[in-house]
Structure formats: C-alpha cells, structure tokens
Amino acid sequence: MNYEIALVRGDGICLETVDSAVRVLERVGETSGHRFHTTPYLAGGCAIDACGVPLPEETVRGCLASDSVLLGAVGGPKWDGMPGDRRPEKALLGLRSALGLYTNLRPAKLYAPLRDSCPLRADIVAEGFDLMMVRELTGGIYFGERGRREGTYGPEAYDTEAYSVMEVERIARAAFDAARKRRRHVTSIDKANVLETSRLWRETVRRVAEEYPDVTLENMLVDNAAMQLVRRPSQFDVVVTSNMFGDILSDEASQITGSIGLLPSASLGATKRGLYEPIHGSAPDIAGQDRANPIATILSAAMMLRYSFDLTEEADRIERAVDSALADGLRTADIAAPGAPALGCRAMADAILARL
Ligand code: IPM
Ligand code: MG
C-alpha cells in the first residue's frame, strides 16, 4: 500500500526528532513492501517566519488531503511576544480543530530498563504502571468563549469551559473502547464537586458506561487524581478527562515514566486520519545540538501505523526495536544516569534502526 503522510515538523528539536521518525518509517517501508510518502508543511514559529501566520491554509489543506499527519512540536522564545491568536501554539489547536481530532491518546508506561529514571519511591516503581490517558481535544476551556472586559476590580480576562453531552459521549466511548483492548477499567477524572461541566461529564460518562457492562468505571476528582498518579500509578488503566485536565495530568504521567522525551500521542476523530506527535515541546534550549530524544516521535510514528493504517505488525516491530535499544542500555541525555555517557538524537535513531 501507498500511504500519504503530511509532515509538519514544526520548530526546535522537532526538526531532528521528526527526521529520525521518517528514517524509521522508510526502513519499515523497505522491508514490508509499503510505501510511506511524506510531504512537508509549515506550522508554528517557522510558518510565522515564512508566511506571517502560524497555520497557513496550505498546511490545513495538505493535512486534510493526506492519510495521516506526523507532527513535531511548535513554539519557542522567539515568538513568545506574539498576540494570543497568532502564537505558534495556535497552529496546533487549529489543526486539531480543522481535522476534527477530538480524541487524544497518551499512553504512559514504565519501561523496565528505565526504572532508575523514575522519580518515585522504589516500592512504587517495583509495581510498575501502564496507563492510557484519553484526553478530550477539541472542546472545553481551550475552545470556549474568551476575552477581556471591565470587571468589578477593573480590567479582567475570562475563559469559559463548555461541554455538550455529545462531546462527552464520544470521548467516553473512545475511552471504553480503548479499555476493552486493555484491562477493562476506566477512571473518569473531573471536578464534579465544583464545576457544572464536570457534573454533566460525570452523568454522561456513567450513562455511556451502561453500554459497556464488561468495563468497570471509577470517578475521581482531578486533585485526587494528581495525587494518586504519584502515590500508586499502577491503579490506572484507561483515564478519560477533559482537554485542560488531560493536558496537565499527561505531563505528570510522562514525568513518572522517566522522561517526557519518551511519550508519543495519537489524535483521532471520526475517520482513520490521525495526527501523531510526541507529547513534548520544541525544547528550544537544546535545538540544533543533536541532544534530543527521538523516541517519543518514533513511537508516535508507530502509533500512526497502528491506529491509522492498521499495520499492527509493523507498529509492534518499531516498539520492539525501541524496547531493545533501551534494554541494551542505550540512553539519550534525558534518561542517562548523571555523568553517564549519552547518545545524541541521530545515534539513538541509528541504534533503533539497527534493531528493526
Ligand atoms: C500539548 C501541549 C499543547 C496543549 C499546547 C502546545 C497548545 O501542551 O499538546 O499537551 O496544551 O494541548
Ligand atoms: Mg501539554
């Protein structure tokens, strides 16, 4: 098969990490008979520099016409002064919205060889963990009404959170479907003791749960969830939550795996077309120095094969090659023991390629 992939590298280290993932895809293509054809598009800071806007029309059109999108990350200090609607991050939000990608899957698991990089206590590390965060991605406070106005105490700003029953139902179904392929337990995270959107969220998730009698549902308040993630992460299987809570909790979940440089993500909608990106940012402080960890982007490419192209065997191969590089003790700077030698981005990608 021929697959058309829109390649949105973005800014900073992602020039390096996305190229590593493309090399992995090319190698998988050579040995499996599939062809992964990539077309580059601009988004984020580089698009602001080249065309004055973070998300050019051409990029949206190219992504819509492709079978899937591989994205790096956007942003950097150079564009921090831009007004809110022209910041590089707007490109990411615009793409998620234009492609209708309401489900964000963020798996986080502890790799056995990386136990020493986990900042948690030894008895917690010994239990390990393997969870799938399902984050709602096109609604909530990220996309609600916002603005500036004159308030009781002078000038003020506001952002609003709204969720419809339909939006909660479809993300809940995504979570329960994911749970059926795993350990059949869903933890729904909200702030139902304070927020009306959370009360609707909780009622709706509970109703959807009735369609899945084989999956257990637990509700948890977000503050407690933040605590439980570091207290006993092994209790989680699938976690489903709103856009903003998911943003915050997925960074927390990534840190207990040892490094945010390891975690991939998939953003999916009603079609097979998805957007795949590492959950880390553009890390401008180490950009261009060959010091980034390519694993999160390489694993994002594996998720693309799995979820958009149904190439399960090829996805497994990439994941096994990453496992084997880690098991052999190969480390980039973010996961190396203090003072221990570390591989650069390119060398780590080479090591993974050699194990494919
Ligand atoms: C993420 C990022 C984005 C988000 C930013 C860059 C807009 O933090 O993908 O987690 O908040 O969704
Ligand atoms: Mg985030």
Side-chain angles (χ1 to χ4, degrees), residues 106 135 247 251 279:
R106 298 190 160 187
R135 169 190 177 196
D247 177 46
D251 269 29
I279 85 156

Side-chain angles (χ1 to χ4, degrees), residues 73-74 88-90 92-93 96 104 106 135 137 142 243-244 246-248 250-251 265 277-281:
V74 295
E89 288 79 0
K90 204 66 193 166
L92 201 48
L93 302 177
R96 289 170 180 171
N104 188 207
R106 298 190 160 187
R135 169 190 177 196
L137 204 59
Y142 271 54
N243 206 340
M244 182 154 76
D247 177 46
I248 298 167
S250 59
D251 269 29
S265 79
E277 55 175 324
I279 85 156
H280 63 68

Side-chain angles (χ1 to χ4, degrees), residues 110 115 118-128 230-233:
L110 188 60
R115 290 191 164 188
C118 174
L120 301 179
R121 224 172 44 217
D123 58 313
I124 306 173
V125 171
E127 281 190 4
V230 289
R231 197 183 77 92
R232 206 167 62 81

